[in-house]
Amino acid sequence: MSEVVSMRIEGSIALITIANPPVNALSQAVRQGLWDAVTQAETNPQVQAMVILGDGRAFIAGADIKEFGKPPQQPHLPDLCTRIEASIKPVIAAMHGVSLGGGLEVALGCHYRIATATAKVGLPEVNLGLIPGAGATQRLPRLVGTEAGIDLMVSGRPVDAAKALEMGIVDEIGDADPRANGLALAHAVLDENRGPRAVSALPAPAAIDWDAKYDAVLNKGRGQISPAQVVRAVQAASELPFAQGLKREREIFLELMQSDQRQGMIHAFFGERAVATQPDLKGIEARGFDHIGVIGGGTMGAGIATAALLAGLSVTVLEMTHEASDAARGRVIGNLQGALKRGKISQAQFTKMTEEALTLSTDYAALAQVDMVIEAVFENMDVKKQVFAKLGEICKAGAVLATNTSYLDVNEIAAASGRAEDVIGLHFFSPAHVMKLLEIVVHDHTAKDVIATGFALGKRLGKVSVRAGVCDGFIGNRILAAYRAVSDHMVLDGASPFDIDRAVTDFGFPMGPFAMTDLAGLDIAWAARKRRRVAGLPEGARDATYADKLCEAGQLGQKAGKGFYTYEAGKRGGTPNPAVMDFVSQDRAEQGLTPRGFTQDEIIDRYMAAMVNEAARIVDEGIAQRPVDVDMVMLFGYGFPRYHGGPLKWADLQGLDKILARIETYAKENPQYWEPAPLLVKLVAEGRRFADLNG
Ligand code: T1G
């Protein structure tokens, strides 16, 4: 055998074990090892049945993603699954942990499947821009039916063992030991003389309205192509003989393997893990954070408290009055009731969180012994400095003092505490117990172990933590300001907010910038514009007042029932507010601007050019450590379409020379605003990509 696949004969059963840590990915060596083991077991007269199982924490997590993009090597996974299925002796898959993608496909190539009660099975290939490529689109619908098969593959989500049993994906649920389960089922198959049972021999899945299903899945995917292609592969399973259906699946799979969307989604998969890599923190131990204080129990503070409680931490929420404290408690309990209703926590966990782990207080002294305080008070520097001065006095030595500010200078806040090395920025995104992104903002004097504590907390809360330096807006909000500004420029020059929102959603965002503003409330951006006017607009900036006019008319967005869009109670989404274009026309007239037409393509070209240019500056200044960090911020905090991989991955795929050429063209209209980022110019000159800076 090989070092990653071993075989032991126990009586008349061949136990074939995969040992390819950490998750038994189906590397070429594993595929070859399985092929050889099945062949040897088949020709060994002592062997009457085989069991395939995984060592460690998983059966098989899928094809080896690290091999993607490289020339495929024999034995190809679909051929291996067919080889297993063609065995003249029964083959049992003894599953535990996860059986995902190619892992489940190997199990479907086996004749019988038994899982532990905690096992999960799934086909997440669409999350990588692919479809299952080793027979699942042909075999799974034969086992579970056309619609159920399509829905499982299109969702990309795993199901637990009980559901897998109910659907017919597994035959039995055994004990906790996959080896014992495999042996027991193998003996039962032999005792009952059940023999090999090929899934491919089952009747072809029933036909459905394939075009209607394809269109429905495509529309839901907001431009992502692989889920809809699952429908076409299952259609082949229904309409063609098995071997030809398998061939059609392979054709679709290989086409997707060459797609930009596959590159984008693989980048997202590895990027989510890469951002946790902090070489300068190697060996640095994080401080404890079992008991956290949260100052401010508004939406954000209550969300942070909820996230900490859900992660099993104790939380003390500090508010200034009893009324505010009661309201904060209500928000946290409401959040936890939501988690209870969705089955994320049990009733017992809910009771423990609300009655033991959560305490509220109106006295700073309640924070004297906590391990960490996260401040989520009003976004005003004077208020924050007062809070941190107080915390510096009362918190125990070593307590980490974190601010949730979304753009204020963390250096200044840290200085106010009198213990700057204990201070860090932890920028959560609302709702904090739902959004995965956490910007860990490191100021000039943050201690290394405090940074390590930020990352450890982020991991405990299940966040994607991205390190950021101190500047106005850190990474995400600074980029947001850039594409909001370019949107204003385009409105002043002739595009409507509705054209821009449509172009942005067609690009794959869930919402455009103006619908997002309605959601957040127009008054937040209004306050920011007023702040910037007081500070003095930089050269090249263009001031738009059409949104101010909406605010002055009380049309503040969804909370006012009207903003850029008009909202009707109980109706999802809004319809364009006719008053908007009147205010836009007034603004253009006041500035002496003559509007021109914008195509959807030009809108998105400018929108993305502004995003990429600002992101390049952020990387160049060291505010973000690597381009992939910016990409992950935009994916996990701002709804950037995952299949594009993030703005800088998207730019690499477009070609940086094309992006730079566009910016240089726009710079002729407004040289200050559109000054090309030096890093972008450098990379183009050197023929390199942002990916080359990801290390
Ligand atoms: N290939 C290679 N490496 C993988 C891997 C994979 N499939 N899955 C995980 N890893 C690495 C990961 O990069 C990390 O490495 C370590 O394992 C632990 O992962 C033909 C084509 C399995 C649920 O999409 O969902 O089969 O950082 O930190 O949180 O149809 O990993 O330690 O060096 O995520 O416990 C389909 C992807 C592939 C599963 C474990 N399978 N993986 O989560 O640990 S496509 C997937 C996961 C396919 C066929 C098609 C998760 C996990 P490092 P981790 P975790």
Side-chain angles (χ1 to χ4, degrees):
M1 287 302 87
S2 68
E3 60 188 45
V4 290
V5 175
S6 61
M7 180 161 72
R8 264 168 57 87
I9 314 290
E10 292 203 9
S12 60
I13 312 296
L15 278 172
I16 300 170
T17 304
I18 304 163
N20 183 27
V23 292
N24 290 336
L26 286 157
S27 63
Q28 190 281 334
V30 170
R31 300 195 301 273
Q32 190 62 60
L34 284 172
W35 187 289
D36 297 345
V38 168
T39 304
Q40 280 182 31
E42 210 173 32
T43 52
N44 180 330
Q46 186 189 343
V47 172
Q48 293 181 34
M50 307 172 212
V51 174
I52 296 177
L53 66 158
D55 188 26
R57 59 175 167 150
F59 175 63
I60 303 172
D64 188 339
I65 301 177
K66 295 183 177 77
E67 290 182 358
F68 287 3
K70 296 173 187 162
Q73 290 177 292
Q74 302 267 8
H76 299 312
L77 195 50
D79 299 338
L80 172 64
C81 296
T82 301
R83 173 69 189 85
I84 293 169
E85 188 176 65
S87 164
I88 56 173
K89 299 175 182 176
V91 185
I92 286 88
M95 303 146 84
H96 78 292
V98 291
S99 305
L100 298 175
L104 179 54
E105 291 176 298
V106 165
L108 292 173
C110 295
H111 304 123
Y112 301 90
R113 289 158 291 280
I114 183 166
T116 60
T118 55
K120 288 184 185 299
V121 304
L123 292 158
E125 285 86 341
V126 292
N127 298 330
L128 300 172
L130 299 167
I131 64 167
T137 66
Q138 310 299 304
R139 290 191 175 93
L140 183 69
R142 281 177 160 81
L143 270 180
V144 307
T146 304
E147 293 280 1
I150 288 174
D151 293 347
L152 185 74
M153 289 184 272
V154 163
S155 77
R157 283 191 295 276
V159 296
D160 63 19
K163 182 69 177 170
L165 180 68
E166 179 199 318
M167 293 177 74
I169 297 172
V170 300
D171 302 296
E172 289 184 30
I173 292 180
D175 299 330
D177 175 4
R179 180 182 164 281
N181 290 344
L183 285 171
L185 182 52
H187 284 301
V189 164
L190 292 175
D191 294 349
E192 295 153 21
N193 198 16
R194 286 194 264 165
R197 184 188 65 174
V199 173
S200 61
L202 292 172
I208 60 170
D209 184 340
W210 300 109
D211 292 343
K213 188 72 175 174
Y214 177 87
D215 292 342
V217 172
L218 189 65
N219 292 335
K220 198 162 170 239
R222 282 207 301 268
Q224 192 187 347
I225 48 180
S226 58
Q229 289 294 77
V230 164
V231 177
R232 293 306 183 205
V234 175
Q235 181 177 358
S238 176
E239 296 174 350
L240 301 174
F242 183 80
Q244 289 177 43
L246 210 52
K247 191 166 170 296
R248 182 67 192 120
E249 173 194 81
R250 187 83 181 152
E251 287 165 2
I252 296 173
F253 174 80
L254 291 175
E255 275 165 37
L256 291 169
M257 186 59 90
Q258 299 309 316
S259 68
D260 283 354
Q261 290 197 3
R262 189 271 301 165
Q263 290 198 56
M265 298 186 91
I266 296 290
H267 175 73
F269 175 82
F270 285 116
E272 180 178 347
R273 291 155 178 80
V275 294
T277 308
Q278 299 297 321
D280 67 332
L281 301 181
K282 207 167 176 58
I284 305 271
E285 198 178 327
R287 297 181 189 177
F289 47 82
D290 291 333
H291 188 180
I292 284 183
V294 176
I295 303 186
T299 304
M300 184 55 86
I304 294 169
T306 305
L309 289 165
L310 288 171
L313 302 175
S314 299
V315 180
T316 297
V317 177
L318 183 72
E319 266 290 1
M320 292 300 102
T321 66
H322 290 299
E323 296 73 23
S325 187
D326 290 345
R329 179 178 171 79
R331 286 187 199 97
V332 175
I333 289 179
N335 292 341
L336 291 173
Q337 279 165 340
L340 179 64
K341 201 163 63 181
R342 285 192 300 280
K344 297 259 187 238
I345 55 175
S346 65
Q347 181 61 50
Q349 287 171 312
F350 174 82
T351 304
K352 183 170 171 33
M353 288 172 192
T354 52
E355 295 180 12
E356 294 173 33
L358 171 63
T359 51
L360 289 106
S361 174
T362 57
D363 180 355
Y364 265 94
L367 303 182
Q369 293 309 314
V370 298
D371 304 308
M372 172 188 285
V373 177
I374 302 175
E375 162 273 313
V377 302
F378 184 60
E379 279 289 79
N380 173 285
M381 182 56 88
D382 292 339
V383 172
K384 292 196 190 284
K385 285 164 82 168
Q386 285 165 19
V387 166
F388 275 78
K390 189 82 178 163
L391 293 176
E393 282 167 25
I394 57 116
C395 289
K396 70 180 182 185
V400 172
L401 309 180
T403 173
N404 173 60
T405 184
S406 57
Y407 68 93
L408 294 172
D409 185 340
V410 181
N411 280 301
E412 208 177 325
I413 294 170
S417 70
R419 42 200 274 196
E421 68 284 354
D422 291 339
V423 175
I424 193 167
L426 293 180
H427 180 211
F428 289 84
F429 287 74
S430 190
H433 58 295
V434 174
M435 292 296 284
K436 285 201 73 165
L437 179 63
L438 173 63
E439 281 184 320
I440 296 183
V441 185
V442 178
H443 66 82
D444 299 347
H445 304 293
T446 306
K448 290 277 190 203
D449 65 338
V450 171
I451 306 170
T453 309
F455 275 95
L457 175 74
K459 188 172 174 70
R460 179 69 179 272
L461 301 185
K463 301 294 182 186
V464 175
S465 303
V466 180
R467 186 165 173 172
V470 176
C471 70
D472 187 340
F474 313 135
I475 298 172
N477 281 345
R478 180 167 156 183
I479 291 175
L480 173 70
Y483 59 76
R484 279 276 172 77
V486 78
S487 301
D488 278 342
H489 295 184
M490 289 193 279
V491 168
L492 291 173
D493 292 336
S496 83
F498 316 114
D499 297 338
I500 292 172
D501 275 2
R502 188 166 50 252
V504 170
T505 50
D506 286 353
F507 180 78
F509 281 87
M511 294 171 96
F514 296 95
M516 278 300 285
T517 304
D518 272 359
L519 186 63
L522 276 70
D523 40 337
I524 296 175
W526 191 20
R529 283 195 297 278
K530 287 192 260 188
R531 209 175 41 245
R532 279 199 291 274
R533 285 172 189 143
V534 168
L537 295 179
E539 202 180 348
R542 299 176 64 186
D543 196 12
T545 59
Y546 61 92
D548 299 14
K549 299 175 192 325
L550 270 174
C551 295
E552 285 151 9
Q555 299 178 20
L556 298 175
Q558 283 196 18
K559 63 187 174 186
K562 191 179 276 192
F564 288 102
Y565 297 86
T566 303
Y567 300 90
E568 288 169 46
K571 214 174 136 198
R572 277 177 65 84
T575 49
N577 174 359
V580 169
M581 292 318 291
D582 294 339
F583 291 138
V584 168
S585 300
Q586 281 175 43
D587 195 354
R588 290 169 181 163
E590 285 160 9
Q591 301 195 45
L593 297 169
T594 306
R596 69 171 175 86
F598 277 78
T599 63
Q600 296 278 82
D601 284 349
E602 181 181 0
I603 288 171
I604 212 64
D605 284 350
R606 286 174 177 262
Y607 196 82
M608 287 304 302
M611 201 182 295
V612 170
N613 210 30
E614 194 61 34
R617 292 192 189 107
I618 287 169
V619 173
D620 209 10
E621 294 166 21
I623 298 295
Q625 294 179 293
R626 300 154 293 202
V628 66
D629 294 65
V630 176
D631 286 338
M632 294 309 110
V633 164
M634 299 313 291
L635 288 189
F636 289 98
Y638 294 81
F640 196 93
R642 186 179 175 90
Y643 57 80
H644 289 310
L648 298 181
K649 180 63 182 175
W650 173 85
D652 278 348
L653 291 170
Q654 295 297 306
L656 297 190
D657 52 344
K658 277 167 62 180
I659 309 289
L660 178 58
R662 285 181 196 142
I663 292 171
E664 288 168 339
T665 303
Y666 306 151
K668 293 182 182 112
E669 307 156 12
N670 184 338
Q672 290 77 18
Y673 180 80
W674 284 110
E675 184 186 0
L679 175 61
L680 179 60
V681 174
K682 182 172 186 289
L683 289 174
V684 170
E686 295 170 356
R688 295 201 299 157
R689 303 163 307 158
F690 285 112
D692 298 320
L693 307 178
N694 282 332

